[in-house]
Amino acid sequence: MDVRLKVKRQDGTQPDSSHYDEYTVEMPEGATMLDALLQVRDYEDGGLALRYSCRSSICGSCAMRVNGRARLACKTKASDMANGDEPILVEPLGNMPVIKDLVTDMEVHWDKVRRITPWLENSGPEPEREHIVMHETMVDVSNALSCIQCGACVSDCTVLEVDKHFIGPAAFAKAYRFVGDPRDDTTMDRLKALSSAKGGIWDCTRCNICVEVCPKDIRPMDRIMQLREQVVNAGVEGGIGARHGTAFAGSVRRTGRLDEVRLLPESVGMFNAPRLLKELPGAFRMMRAGKLPWKDTLPLFSKPIAGIAHVRRLFDNARSEKKEAKR
Amino acid sequence: MTVFQHDVLVIGAGLAGMRAAIEAARNGADVALVTKLHPMRSHSGAAQGGINAALGEEDSWESHAFDTVKGSDYLADQDAVEIFAREAPGDIIELERMGTSFSRTEDGKIAQRPFGGAGFPRTCFIADITGQAILHVVYEQVLKLGITVYQEYFCTSLIVEDGEVRGVIAMPMITGDLAVMQGKAVIMATGGLGRVYAPTTNAIACTGDGMAISYMAGAPLQDMEFMQFHPTSLKDSGVLMTEGARGEGGYLLNSEGDRFMGKYAPNKFELASRDVVSRAEQTEINEGRGIDGCVLLDVRHLGEEKISERLWQIRELAIDLTNTDMVHEPVKVRPGAHYAMGGIKTDVDGAAPLPGLFAAGECANVSVHGSNRLGGNSLLDTIVFGRRAGVAAAAYVKQVASKSQISEAALAEDQNRIQQWMATKGSGGERPAVIRGEMGRMMREDLGIFRAREKLDSALAKIVELKGRFENVRLEDTGKVFNLDLLSIFELGGMLDVAHAMVAGALAREESRGAHTRLDFPERNDEKWLKHTVASRKEDGSPQLDYADVTMTKWEPEVRTY
């Protein structure tokens, strides 16, 4: 079959050098995107730069954007990417600088990995032999660590697009691997750090893109949610995110409504005057625009909605189910 | 001229390299890792099945050692094998304490699965991602210790002055400007050379670089004729299907639906050692009982639950690469070039006969694998001998006086090579991929499972021809940043040299032993050939073959059956 590629070319040292080159290569059925790109590099254009190594979705080198979405080139069949008369669009990963063509500077990501204390901490007395741990726990840890750090999720993360401090889906998945490991004795410290860090777990917007693009089914966003849950369950103090969640749920349980006026002070802290003052002008503007239902907040006016008993029952059921599941 | 200085330079950051670096650092040496990839991209991560150690109460290190010696077809050095098997349990426990998430038994201990050629289930594992899981953990320790890593630095030469190793010349891919990296000791840990074959289970990066530059600098390569063919690789891509599939109970079937291994290994069936299973498969295929040049790997009877938990990676690979879901149908597999038993000759501490040079992992030959390695012993090799090389290199640098000056000749030589290649753009020379492709097909054809004089003669002629054509290789990319074209030419030059040593060794060895099967000399000949082949590079690039005795301690050679 003929595979037509349109590849973004760029010399990272010259930012305005970017352009697209088109190639057509003859490939056997079932050829992967990596096979096609290597055919180009070997026989059509020796200057094409890309990373690759194992060809079996384990080394994590060949992540790139194909048709606008991050994928592993060695796991993606060229025939699946063909789009009618259009060539297959091949571009470098997003959210990181380009070195050359499809090669990006992954240091952006490795720096984030270094932020989560990426090693097992255990100060206790060493066991005589191996640690005795539940098989299921090790399977859970192993599933999280089967992340190959390819950077696909980092590339397409919508939070990283606007906030470069966000620790990011892959690094959080790695963090989960340590939090979930019974052999690590710094769980509380880790949860505190993940919760209060600049760009910490509460900054994820749950857009789900990391789950969709992950070639190894790590489900990074689910790991972030699991971390949030652990932060709340462990009663970690001081995080705006955790308080926001608690205030949100509290408001709905109390009145059946989202009480946005109370939500803010309860999230940032009732006595956090500088932050509250900072938000005031915005609050007034919202009020003027009729977007802040302040009346509902005043104790006199604040009445629960009609079916509040039902709402509360839902909350109680959900909570007892969770306790059941824990057992 | 950029100059970096460290006590110990470790070339390659897979398991052997990182384990060596950790131990050298713990022993007080200033150590740096130099890798042409990022550590996490190393091919150790692709190891699927497991890592051996006699942990069980009924198992013993002697039993592990015996299985290894028998598996090696008695070519392994038995003193090295004793160290290997005896130190294995301690190393596994240490990996566990570092954070490796080994799969567990019901009572929470490290679980072990049966593997080929082993008399006891002694292969520890993490599903079928054992290499990746350990690679993560060992890299975490590198980060914890703050060891310097020069990533995407390709080593073009080993610097030797006054008969001692002084460092390496390296090319950072990001700038393309050669740098002098000074080190009192260099530990080679660059992994395998599978890419001299096409196809191979190995990553594209496995081009035998460390063997090639060490050989070029005067270090001998040992037992290079022994190349392991893994019994279960996918047909076109060569991608690996773990031995764990058979360890968990998978069958090999021929076109008639027979579990043919019963004929070749009546006691062990699919779990005979790899050379035996690969030979059996190839015999079935050659005698017309194959399917598309393959046999079938059938794990359906294990059930979806077990496959999903323990073999999920290969299930996904088979779906991605061959549209086969192993839960519902068998997958076509055939023997694939997998592991170089041969490598840089070292003693049990990783020291090569060239002062200041150490080696560990697949690029080294200690030798514990002899003429055929057992599954689960390669990861163990990287950890045990990586650690030992780290200790030895750290001790060695303490008695090397001071950092001596490096003459600029070494650097100039590599700069000249690059300039000459740069000048070939637009010339009529051949592209590296053409020469590499011909080498790979020739190696598979002539230096495959079954070998014979006629084919080996033609292989030798072909290597000489390809080396001649390589003189006129044509470079197209003359840029500096991330010049993969230049990298592939450096790699190819090294591969041709190493392949030459493999072919010469195979032609000379007139017997059948382990992975080396000569149709014209079908028997093992201990009287004449119970010895190591030692290849040294002559001035003209061809190998000079000498022979060295095999160290025997406890186990006399016996007839080998499974």
Side-chain angles (χ1 to χ4, degrees):
Chain A
M1 64 179 180
D2 273 349
V3 177
R4 287 179 59 214
L5 304 166
K6 183 176 170 184
V7 183
K8 187 168 187 185
R9 309 296 305 276
Q10 190 174 334
D11 176 347
T13 56
Q14 292 165 301
D16 24 339
S17 64
S18 100
H19 63 281
Y20 288 85
D21 280 333
E22 291 201 25
Y23 309 94
T24 304
V25 282
E26 166 71 27
M27 300 299 299
E29 295 294 326
T32 63
M33 286 301 298
L34 180 63
D35 295 334
L37 287 162
L38 288 178
Q39 182 75 13
V40 170
R41 209 220 48 198
D42 281 346
Y43 299 102
E44 306 281 325
D45 186 342
L48 178 66
L50 68 154
R51 288 198 183 97
Y52 47 79
S53 193
C54 74
R55 313 155 300 131
S56 50
S57 321
I58 195 77
C59 78
S61 303
C62 67
M64 57 185 71
R65 276 185 171 161
V66 183
N67 292 340
R69 191 179 156 148
R71 299 168 198 272
L72 274 189
C74 73
K75 195 182 160 66
T76 307
K77 285 210 178 69
S79 57
D80 291 342
M81 292 296 106
N83 19 325
D85 292 339
E86 290 295 308
I88 302 168
L89 185 62
V90 185
E91 297 167 303
L93 292 179
N95 286 333
M96 47 191 111
V98 172
I99 292 172
K100 186 186 174 190
D101 300 340
L102 305 172
V103 176
T104 54
D105 186 356
M106 289 277 292
E107 267 318 294
V108 179
H109 167 63
W110 300 119
D111 281 343
K112 294 176 189 299
V113 171
R114 280 187 279 266
R115 285 180 66 191
I116 59 113
T117 318
W119 50 77
L120 195 79
E121 293 273 26
N122 193 323
S123 51
E126 287 201 336
E128 222 167 276
R129 299 247 312 186
E130 71 267 47
H131 293 87
I132 303 299
V133 281
M134 295 266 292
H135 176 63
E136 289 70 25
T137 318
M138 284 297 101
V139 170
D140 187 41
V141 166
S142 301
N143 287 343
L145 73 68
S146 64
C147 165
I148 55 176
Q149 308 283 335
C150 68
C153 59
V154 176
S155 160
D156 288 14
C157 172
T158 53
V159 177
L160 277 170
E161 221 174 291
V162 293
D163 177 11
K164 63 179 187 340
H165 298 294
F166 186 48
I167 293 176
F172 283 133
K174 179 125 184 136
Y176 173 84
R177 171 253 172 284
F178 294 108
V179 170
D181 195 322
R183 298 170 297 176
D184 189 280
D185 62 8
T186 58
T187 307
M188 268 313 259
D189 297 338
R190 288 181 187 277
L191 290 174
K192 275 183 202 158
L194 291 165
S195 182
S196 62
K198 196 173 168 65
I201 47 174
W202 300 100
D203 288 2
C204 168
T205 61
R206 304 188 65 160
C207 76
N208 205 46
I209 190 82
C210 57
V211 177
E212 286 166 35
V213 300
C214 176
K216 301 296 282 189
D217 198 23
I218 304 300
R219 296 175 287 112
M221 189 191 79
D222 294 357
R223 309 294 177 186
I224 298 173
M225 294 312 129
Q226 282 168 303
L227 287 171
R228 285 185 181 178
E229 210 176 299
Q230 294 211 28
V231 163
V232 173
N233 289 347
V236 173
E237 298 286 325
I240 291 182
R243 282 200 304 266
H244 181 78
T246 312
F248 201 112
S251 165
V252 176
R253 189 176 188 283
R254 203 165 48 243
T255 64
R257 285 197 198 86
L258 182 58
D259 181 348
E260 295 197 53
V261 175
R262 282 175 69 160
L263 193 60
L264 179 70
E266 284 183 7
S267 298
V268 302
M270 287 291 183
F271 304 104
N272 189 351
R275 178 69 193 266
L276 287 169
L277 281 174
K278 203 179 128 203
E279 304 288 348
L280 262 185
F284 279 123
R285 274 202 305 279
M286 280 173 74
M287 210 186 290
R288 267 208 308 274
K291 289 188 175 167
L292 204 62
W294 59 274
K295 267 190 174 171
D296 294 340
T297 301
L298 297 177
L300 277 177
F301 296 91
S302 174
K303 291 207 177 82
I305 59 165
I308 188 66
H310 187 60
V311 170
R312 288 179 187 163
R313 250 199 327 276
L314 285 175
F315 269 87
D316 296 342
N317 285 348
R319 278 182 187 148
S320 62
E321 259 174 41
K322 212 163 111 190
K323 268 187 201 152
E324 259 329 283
K326 276 238 168 90
R327 259 179 238 140
Chain B
M1 175 168 92
T2 319
V3 181
F4 300 96
Q5 291 191 334
H6 297 277
D7 293 338
V8 178
L9 295 172
V10 182
I11 316 302
L15 282 179
M18 291 201 286
R19 188 63 192 82
I22 289 167
E23 206 59 25
R26 284 176 178 172
N27 282 273
D30 164 23
V31 54
L33 281 156
V34 185
T35 164
K36 72 172 174 177
L37 307 168
H38 180 280
M40 290 296 299
R41 309 301 182 215
S42 303
H43 195 53
S44 302
Q48 295 168 347
I51 178 165
N52 295 340
L55 293 178
E57 273 163 29
E58 289 144 52
D59 200 2
S60 67
W61 72 262
E62 288 93 341
S63 164
H64 182 189
F66 169 72
D67 288 342
T68 302
V69 168
K70 180 181 172 190
S72 82
D73 219 348
Y74 297 91
L75 192 67
D77 286 318
Q78 296 179 7
D79 56 339
V81 175
E82 287 189 26
I83 290 171
F84 182 63
R86 211 166 24 210
E87 296 184 358
D91 275 307
I92 295 292
I93 297 299
E94 188 181 20
L95 286 176
E96 196 280 330
R97 287 182 188 160
M98 285 177 179
T100 306
S101 54
F102 286 111
S103 295
R104 302 288 159 148
T105 59
E106 273 184 7
D107 52 0
K109 293 183 182 162
I110 295 174
Q112 296 184 288
R113 64 170 39 138
F115 242 45
F120 203 84
R122 69 167 71 91
T123 304
C124 314
F125 60 97
I126 300 99
D128 58 353
I129 58 162
T130 310
Q132 191 211 359
I134 301 177
L135 187 71
H136 274 260
V137 169
V138 175
Y139 180 53
E140 287 159 15
Q141 298 301 307
V142 166
L143 290 175
K144 188 175 178 181
L145 289 169
I147 293 170
T148 307
V149 181
Y150 297 94
Q151 64 197 44
E152 296 184 324
Y153 272 58
F154 176 74
C155 290
T156 54
S157 290
L158 186 63
I159 307 170
V160 179
E161 284 182 2
D162 307 325
E164 287 175 13
V165 168
R166 297 283 162 80
V168 296
I169 307 286
M171 177 173 74
M173 293 304 293
I174 195 161
T175 64
D177 291 322
L178 292 186
V180 173
M181 312 197 82
Q182 238 174 296
K184 297 177 192 170
V186 170
I187 303 177
M188 282 297 166
T190 56
L193 50 62
R195 285 278 144 181
V196 303
Y197 285 83
T200 165
T201 62
N202 286 194
I204 300 173
C206 298
T207 47
D209 312 323
M211 295 185 205
I213 61 173
S214 302
Y215 183 51
M216 179 69 100
L221 301 180
Q222 184 162 275
D223 293 337
M224 294 302 285
E225 60 270 37
F226 298 103
M227 184 73 190
Q228 177 163 85
F229 284 76
H230 194 289
T232 53
S233 73
L234 296 178
K235 187 185 175 196
D236 296 318
S237 60
V239 164
L240 181 69
M241 296 281 109
T242 178
E243 180 159 318
R246 285 172 286 134
E248 295 293 344
Y251 300 147
L252 290 170
L253 306 175
N254 62 17
S255 63
E256 290 157 13
D258 284 341
R259 271 182 81 186
F260 57 85
M261 280 312 299
K263 219 170 12 174
Y264 303 89
N267 300 314
K268 287 268 176 189
F269 277 70
E270 284 85 358
L271 289 179
S273 70
R274 288 178 178 173
D275 57 332
V276 174
V277 181
S278 282
R279 257 193 312 272
E281 288 180 3
Q282 198 58 47
T283 304
E284 292 294 303
I285 295 164
N286 291 351
E287 291 176 359
R289 291 183 299 277
I291 299 158
D292 281 348
C294 292
V295 295
L296 298 175
L297 172 63
D298 190 354
V299 296
R300 287 174 297 178
H301 54 284
L302 302 182
E304 180 160 6
E305 194 180 330
K306 194 165 195 180
I307 295 170
S308 306
E309 186 193 310
R310 294 201 165 179
L311 302 168
W312 61 265
Q313 184 191 187
I314 62 163
R315 180 186 179 193
E316 229 176 88
L317 282 170
I319 291 172
D320 288 343
L321 299 172
T322 69
N323 287 325
T324 308
D325 184 348
M326 298 171 75
V327 168
H328 303 298
E329 49 183 325
V331 63
K332 287 182 213 163
V333 293
R334 64 173 181 175
H338 181 60
Y339 185 90
M341 265 71 73
I344 301 161
K345 179 180 172 61
T346 74
D347 65 14
V348 294
D349 293 314
L354 179 62
L357 180 65
F358 298 79
E362 188 172 348
C363 76
N365 182 285
V366 182
S367 124
V368 287
H369 309 307
S371 63
N372 172 66
R373 174 177 70 77
L374 294 188
N377 268 355
S378 67
L379 288 184
L380 182 62
D381 178 7
T382 66
I383 299 297
V384 171
F385 291 105
R387 171 176 52 75
R388 293 180 65 94
V391 175
Y396 173 85
V397 299
K398 282 186 192 138
Q399 44 102 22
V400 175
S402 62
K403 284 167 184 154
S404 53
Q405 277 301 308
I406 292 177
S407 69
E408 288 185 26
L411 181 67
E413 203 170 304
D414 281 351
Q415 277 167 339
N416 284 342
R417 281 205 283 170
I418 292 175
Q419 268 163 19
Q420 281 168 15
W421 283 327
M422 289 287 180
T424 61
K425 185 182 166 80
S427 73
E430 287 177 283
R431 294 287 290 142
V434 175
I435 299 173
R436 195 175 61 226
E438 279 186 41
M439 171 184 65
R441 285 187 293 276
M442 174 279 283
M443 291 293 281
R444 180 169 181 93
E445 196 55 38
D446 298 343
L447 211 74
I449 294 176
F450 294 112
R451 304 164 173 187
R453 169 165 295 281
E454 206 172 307
K455 283 193 163 185
L456 291 168
D457 276 335
S458 95
L460 194 60
K462 183 77 182 178
I463 276 287
V464 173
E465 177 209 316
L466 291 174
K467 278 184 153 180
R469 284 159 57 188
F470 179 72
E471 296 294 312
N472 293 311
V473 72
R474 184 178 93 241
L475 181 84
E476 266 185 11
D477 183 0
T478 53
K480 292 198 112 177
V481 180
F482 230 87
N483 190 332
L484 295 167
D485 208 17
L486 182 58
L487 176 72
S488 75
I489 289 178
F490 269 117
E491 289 171 340
L492 177 58
M495 283 196 283
L496 286 166
D497 248 3
V498 169
H500 200 163
M502 297 171 80
V503 173
L507 180 59
R509 184 173 285 272
E510 296 186 330
E511 67 157 351
S512 291
R513 182 185 298 273
H516 174 71
T517 306
R518 287 280 299 252
L519 294 171
D520 42 355
F521 298 94
E523 299 299 324
R524 188 176 85 196
N525 182 344
D526 289 330
E527 207 171 305
K528 220 172 145 208
W529 287 104
L530 185 56
K531 55 192 181 184
H532 298 296
T533 307
V534 183
S536 310
R537 193 176 184 279
K538 290 194 281 197
E539 198 67 7
D540 66 356
S542 63
Q544 158 76 42
L545 299 185
D546 297 292
Y547 293 91
D549 289 338
V550 175
T551 309
M552 312 289 274
T553 57
K554 292 188 162 78
W555 301 280
E556 283 300 312
E558 288 170 15
V559 177
R560 186 164 162 259
T561 53
Y562 284 99

